[in-house]
Amino acid sequence: MNANDAPLILAALFGTTLAPIAGKFGWFLGVLAGLIHSSAVLSVGIPKAGLNLYNNGFVAGIVATVMVPVIRSFRNNVDQEKI
């Protein structure tokens, strides 16, 4: 897949739906969320013969639903170890 293929460009553009993760938890976790989003969107789009807006929204919701509690759990554990 080339960098100028439509599915890759759309995945990158709609990856901005995860920007609140970067705003709340830092740029590194925001980039990680974007990478997970891009790879998951390309996998979810295969059964529907391509990539569309609905796949991006669905995957962004799944990524955020999984990443945010995991990040908070790790941060709570680190905070409690300091006590």
Side-chain angles (χ1 to χ4, degrees):
M1 186 170 279
N2 293 327
N4 59 354
D5 287 344
L8 217 56
I9 293 171
L10 286 174
L13 288 174
F14 288 114
T16 59
T17 59
L18 297 167
I21 290 177
K24 177 83 173 165
F25 300 111
W27 68 270
F28 179 76
L29 291 173
V31 169
L32 181 64
L35 291 173
I36 293 170
H37 175 266
S38 293
S39 64
V41 160
L42 295 175
S43 299
V44 170
I46 290 171
K48 296 189 177 185
L51 180 75
N52 63 26
L53 175 65
Y54 302 111
N55 289 341
N56 276 294
F58 174 71
V59 171
I62 296 294
V63 170
T65 301
V66 171
M67 278 194 74
V68 170
V70 170
I71 294 168
R72 286 184 177 169
S73 174
F74 279 117
R75 291 215 169 161
N76 285 342
N77 288 340
V78 169
D79 290 342
Q80 289 183 4
E81 288 179 5
K82 291 180 181 177
I83 296 176

